[in-house]
């Protein structure tokens, strides 16, 4: 991992995902959001409960990046996707060959490393 400063709310959530204990924050009105949050971004409720992230999600959109920003230059080409996991959507790199990922594919979320920086990031594995 790089020399960046730890962001407790975000890094705690990444640690949990890496340990197979991913979670999101649910408000009393049923909205979901990703940590760190102190209030629901949908309704403003401040009573947020850690709720287990479903084991699998579904890809809602995906794109293959051939020309990446400098922070991901050595990762390219890679597939970037947005996937629904119950009440929340995650964005991550799909660990699959470009051209093999489709909208509707089932994925599991975990944590991997950027080939460029070594920083941790959300990755999806096809199921």
């Amino acid at each position: 991992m790089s020399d960046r400063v730890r962001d407790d709310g975000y890094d705690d959530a990444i640690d949990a995902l890496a340990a197979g204990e991913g979670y999101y924050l649910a408000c009393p009105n049923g909205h979901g959001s990703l940590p760190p949050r102190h209030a629901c971004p949908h309704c403003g409720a401040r009573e947020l409960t850690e709720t287990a992230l479903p084991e699998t999600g579904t890809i809602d959109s995906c794109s293959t990046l051939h020309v990446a920003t400098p922070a991901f230059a050595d990762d390219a080409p890679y597939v970037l996707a947005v996937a629904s996991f119950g009440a929340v959507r995650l964005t991550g790199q799909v660990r699959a060959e470009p051209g093999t990922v489709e909208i509707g594919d089932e994925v599991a979320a975990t944590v991997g490393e950027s080939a460029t920086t070594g920083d941790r990031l959300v990755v999806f594995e096809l199921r």
Side-chain angles (χ1 to χ4, degrees), residues 27-90:
C27 78
N29 295 315
H31 303 129
S33 60
L34 297 172
R37 295 269 185 205
H38 296 290
C40 175
H42 304 283
C43 66
R46 299 186 68 72
E47 303 80 33
L48 304 177
T49 305
E50 288 184 9
T51 304
L53 190 71
E55 290 185 22
T56 61
T58 304
I59 292 182
D60 293 330
S61 65
C62 59
S63 182
T64 300
L65 285 91
H66 294 277
V67 180
T69 66
F72 292 99
D74 294 338
D75 293 75
Y78 63 92
V79 179
L80 185 66
V82 176
S84 291
F85 286 81
V88 296
R89 297 169 88 194
L90 300 175

Side-chain angles (χ1 to χ4, degrees), residues 1 4 9-19 22-23 34-35 53-55 57 59 72 75 78-85 88-96 107-115 117-126:
M1 188 162 51
R4 72 177 186 78
Y10 173 78
D11 285 319
D12 289 346
I14 292 293
D15 291 345
L17 185 59
Y23 64 92
L34 297 172
L53 190 71
E55 290 185 22
I59 292 182
F72 292 99
D75 293 75
Y78 63 92
V79 179
L80 185 66
V82 176
S84 291
F85 286 81
V88 296
R89 297 169 88 194
L90 300 175
T91 301
Q93 282 187 13
V94 182
R95 295 295 159 103
V107 293
T110 188
V111 176
E113 288 186 0
S114 164
T117 63
D119 287 341
R120 298 184 308 165
L121 52 92
V122 175
V123 299
F124 300 133
E125 298 173 349
L126 294 173

